[in-house]
Amino acid sequence: MQFPTLSFGLFFLAVYAVAWALNGSNEWRKIALLMASWFFYGAWDGRFVLLLFLSASGNWLLARSIAAYPARGRALVALGVVLNLGVLAYFKYAGFFLEQLDALLLALGFGRDLPLLQVFLPVGVSFFTFQAVSYLVDVQQRRIAPAGWLDLTLLMSFFPHLVAGPIVRGSDLLPQFCTAPKLERGAVAAALLLILWGMFKKVVIASELATALVDPAFRDPLHRSSFDLLFGAYGYAVQIYCDFSAYSDMAIGLAMLLGYRFPRNFDQPYRAASLQDFWRRWHISLSSWLRDYLYIPLGGSRKGRLRTYFNLFLTMLLGGLWHGANWTFLLWGALHGGWLAIERALVRAARGRIALPRMFGILITFHIVVLGWIFFRAPGFGEAIAYLRGLAAGDWHNTLVTPLSLALVGLGLALHALPPRGLQQIAERVRHWPAPLVGALVAAGLVLIGAMQPEGVAPFIYYQF
């Protein structure tokens, strides 16, 4: 089930009704939400519900052991990290590493066909694995107390964030599970606006750009002009932002309607004036996770300049690998890590001497990000290089860009010039409107979005991670 579909809408209405009907008993409410989450996940592939159950149960036992035997805490956390990342590595990287090993053996003259390993990737495995790792570390460092089995399992299975984030940490959500929530009028207004806004970004902007501009440009870059490829890259920058931020907005809104608060995951990333600022605004739950559980434990910026640059590079390289088993993701991470290190060195060298206009920094940062998106979107390294060669060919006639796709690219970028908290300000006004009026406007918005929706809506991009 995808969020912007009728089947999910009916599913959520049923969950909403049952959850608030059971609000007098917080335990039964959480049990109902857990069953609904497993049903939601089972709609993708019922076999992997068992994986969720085993992962949550194993991490529950480890957390209890960490709390009971603090002297062995580090060793138990290390065991938990190995087990969690081992599951992730098997499902996500086993086939890739076998392919690379087979190619290496052939290159060395030890030609031997290795067995073909076909592993089906569970949807959202990267998200709930990172969630489990942060939970164990937080328990060991006494940031949070070990949770009960039901609370932890619901944390890892909760359907709004399960398949594509945000990576909601235990410290964010577990305290909210302790008491039955209350539904406030202002939260309902904000939630409905977020859901509608997310649906618009996904089904109107992202889906239209994908089918009309981005997919054709990346499918056959050798037969496209430089102009087509340039706007194909710009189009993908807008598509992936609108697609992923739409999922996050809808996830936050759905959780809010059930009485829970998720952290914000996007904050107008294309208005960033540096790559460091970009990562404070883009996929905030992942970037903050990488900072807190990888960059800082590696030493952060506390061990000298060269070590700082290395830590930045390694953190982003591993962040690229998190996205998938493909050399293009590693190159994407290496580009971001390398530029973060260069940027840090340049800022240090120019401190107090040069003050560049903010708009110049925004333009430089945006185009570094767009360059990275080419590797991120291309199916392989060869295709990414072909795309870059086509960009540099200097053929500027147009065969692909339409007035509509150009307008959608402009609209997607213009969103970053809006007031940063504009949606919250609108929600504050809407909360005072009569409920029938709000309901009528929401219904009209759904009808309007449905009318503009292209035929068929592709899955969210981050479902594959």
Side-chain angles (χ1 to χ4, degrees):
M1 286 185 287
Q2 293 193 67
F3 283 176
T5 60
L6 178 61
S7 59
F8 178 81
L10 295 173
F11 163 79
F12 183 78
L13 285 175
V15 172
Y16 179 86
V18 170
W20 289 109
L22 294 173
N23 208 45
S25 171
N26 194 36
E27 292 302 302
W28 280 109
R29 185 184 209 273
K30 290 186 289 188
I31 290 171
L33 288 175
L34 178 59
M35 295 299 105
S37 297
W38 281 351
F39 177 83
F40 172 81
Y41 198 59
W44 297 97
D45 194 324
R47 297 171 298 175
F48 293 128
V49 175
L50 179 61
L51 175 65
L52 261 179
F53 170 81
L54 292 175
S55 178
S57 298
N59 284 288
W60 172 71
L61 287 171
L62 278 168
R64 286 175 61 88
S65 301
I66 290 167
Y69 305 101
R72 302 176 185 175
R74 288 182 178 271
L76 290 169
V77 166
L79 174 62
V81 170
V82 168
L83 291 175
N84 279 291
L85 295 186
V87 170
L88 180 62
Y90 170 73
F91 283 108
K92 206 162 186 177
Y93 308 111
F96 172 77
F97 285 123
L98 271 180
E99 290 177 8
Q100 303 310 308
L101 179 59
D102 191 38
L104 178 62
L105 290 175
L106 287 173
L108 294 175
F110 300 101
R112 182 181 182 87
D113 289 332
L114 296 176
L116 179 63
L117 184 62
Q118 289 186 327
V119 180
F120 294 98
L121 181 67
V123 177
V125 64
S126 299
F127 290 94
F128 68 73
T129 298
F130 270 28
Q131 192 175 49
V133 169
S134 64
Y135 169 70
L136 293 178
V137 172
D138 287 351
V139 169
Q140 191 271 326
Q141 296 186 357
R142 300 187 179 182
R143 295 173 185 153
I144 57 174
W149 180 88
L150 176 59
D151 284 8
L152 179 60
T153 307
L154 180 56
L155 168 72
M156 294 181 60
S157 307
F158 195 32
F159 69 88
H161 71 71
L162 176 58
V163 295
I167 304 173
V168 184
R169 302 186 195 182
S171 56
D172 291 320
L173 198 52
L174 288 174
Q176 299 183 54
F177 288 159
C178 294
T179 57
K182 296 180 180 180
L183 192 60
E184 299 175 352
R185 188 180 181 90
V188 172
L192 292 175
L193 283 174
L194 278 170
I195 292 169
L196 279 176
W197 183 233
M199 289 185 66
F200 175 77
K201 287 191 290 184
K202 169 59 180 174
V203 305
V204 177
I205 301 179
S207 294
E208 178 63 32
L209 282 176
T211 55
L213 177 61
V214 177
D215 290 348
F218 278 88
R219 186 183 303 120
D220 191 15
L222 293 176
H223 295 89
R224 294 294 178 185
S225 70
S226 301
F227 184 86
D228 293 338
L229 297 180
L230 178 64
F231 277 91
Y234 288 160
Y236 185 66
V238 172
Q239 180 202 346
I240 193 171
Y241 165 72
C242 286
D243 187 284
F244 192 19
S245 68
Y247 182 94
S248 295
D249 287 346
M250 295 177 75
I252 293 168
L254 292 168
M256 199 179 296
L257 286 177
L258 293 172
Y260 303 109
R261 300 274 181 168
F262 286 177
R264 191 177 191 183
N265 208 29
F266 287 87
D267 185 13
Q268 298 180 307
Y270 294 148
R271 71 187 297 167
S274 67
L275 200 59
Q276 183 182 34
D277 188 25
F278 173 81
W279 279 105
R280 293 192 186 108
R281 298 167 176 270
W282 175 273
H283 200 349
I284 299 168
S285 63
L286 174 62
S287 60
S288 61
W289 193 100
L290 291 171
R291 178 197 65 208
D292 294 343
Y293 300 101
L294 186 57
Y295 175 70
I296 291 176
L298 284 171
S301 57
R302 303 187 305 274
K303 297 189 177 182
R305 279 181 288 171
L306 292 180
R307 182 64 180 271
T308 298
Y309 303 153
F310 173 78
N311 291 341
L312 285 169
F313 181 80
L314 181 60
T315 297
M316 296 311 302
L317 188 70
L318 294 175
L321 184 62
W322 175 85
H323 283 84
N326 195 318
W327 290 109
T328 54
F329 291 130
L330 279 172
L331 287 168
W332 173 80
L335 172 67
H336 278 260
W339 188 256
L340 280 169
I342 292 170
E343 188 177 84
R344 179 73 65 94
L346 290 175
V347 168
R348 182 182 180 88
R351 187 175 296 169
R353 301 177 187 174
I354 303 174
L356 296 176
R358 178 175 174 81
M359 184 53 66
F360 183 79
I362 292 174
L363 289 173
I364 292 293
T365 302
F366 176 70
H367 285 90
I368 291 292
V369 170
V370 170
L371 175 61
W373 287 142
I374 293 173
F375 288 97
F376 193 93
R377 173 60 176 80
F381 179 73
E383 291 87 344
I385 296 301
Y387 201 101
L388 293 175
R389 285 177 177 171
L391 269 176
D395 178 7
W396 297 105
H397 73 280
N398 174 37
T399 64
L400 186 60
V401 181
T402 65
L404 176 59
S405 61
L406 188 61
L408 290 176
V409 170
L411 174 60
L413 296 177
L415 297 178
H416 294 75
L418 296 176
R421 299 294 183 267
L423 206 61
Q424 290 90 326
Q425 294 171 2
I426 295 173
E428 282 298 315
R429 296 184 179 183
V430 171
R431 67 180 297 182
H432 300 294
W433 295 359
L437 175 60
V438 174
L441 290 174
V442 169
L446 290 173
V447 170
L448 183 60
I449 291 171
M452 294 187 290
Q453 174 180 338
E455 185 176 352
V457 178
F460 286 95
I461 291 173
Y462 265 67
Y463 278 6
Q464 63 185 297
F465 305 131

